[in-house]
Amino acid sequence: DPPPASSSSSSLDSSHSECSSTETFDLPPPGDPPSSSSSSSLLVSKCSLPDGRTVCVGDIVWAKIYGFPWWPARILGITVARRGDTGLAVRQEARVSWFGSPTTSFLPLGQLSPFLESFQSRFDRKRKGPYRRAIAEAASAAKQLTPEVRALLTQFET
């Protein structure tokens, strides 16, 4: 039996992202022949992570790239690729922009975690410089700083 759709996460829902908007972006990307039976990609405004939490376009998250520490980023878009015959989601990717850097990356959703909820487990207090600046930018973008996060940040101001 598939687990019921998680409604328990609504208490964690943050109001600063697309989660609160009614807009959905379920349009196929331009130039994709509608008859392609192999797979189709949809741009969506929100998506569930493997751990059941929901991420939305505009959310501030921690993201991981091989060889780098967990780094703060903002979700610019989420793409879900589905198999044409079964309709099952085969690939879910987010395009993120990195704080403190002009670059963007495409990452599987499994390599993202919500910024504020995961702050204590992801924040590396030993890192300085650009990392610290990126964290400060992400924190002010996330706005709704929890007291724990605020305490951690002020404790380590450089």
Side-chain angles (χ1 to χ4, degrees):
D1 251 329
S6 70
S7 56
S8 59
S9 65
S10 60
S11 59
L12 289 172
D13 260 10
S14 40
S15 57
H16 65 281
S17 74
E18 293 284 334
C19 282
S20 55
S21 89
T22 51
E23 266 186 291
T24 51
F25 303 99
D26 289 345
L27 297 170
D32 226 27
S35 61
S36 73
S37 59
S38 51
S39 72
S40 63
S41 294
L42 294 180
L43 278 173
V44 295
S45 58
K46 58 175 150 185
C47 206
S48 293
L49 294 178
D51 65 6
R53 288 191 278 201
T54 301
V55 290
C56 308
V57 172
D59 273 3
I60 310 299
V61 293
W62 292 99
K64 181 85 174 87
I65 281 191
Y66 182 75
F68 288 90
W70 284 91
W71 197 275
R74 181 193 295 273
I75 298 177
L76 300 176
I78 300 169
T79 309
V80 180
R82 294 183 186 283
R83 279 191 40 179
D85 49 354
T86 60
L88 285 174
V90 284
R91 202 177 66 249
Q92 299 178 325
E93 282 187 326
R95 181 165 160 250
V96 300
S97 66
W98 302 99
F99 281 94
S101 160
T103 55
T104 61
S105 304
F106 281 95
L107 297 174
L109 291 185
Q111 285 165 242
L112 306 180
S113 70
F115 184 72
L116 293 176
E117 285 114 282
S118 325
F119 193 88
Q120 278 161 308
S121 55
R122 301 283 181 238
F123 179 58
D124 182 351
R125 55 192 68 197
K126 293 185 206 67
R127 289 184 180 272
K128 300 271 190 286
Y131 176 81
R132 246 339 124 65
R133 283 194 294 280
I135 299 287
E137 278 180 41
S140 67
K143 288 191 191 65
Q144 313 167 298
L145 288 188
T146 60
E148 304 85 57
V149 172
R150 198 175 285 120
L152 271 172
L153 282 173
T154 50
Q155 204 177 337
F156 299 106
E157 304 247 286
T158 41

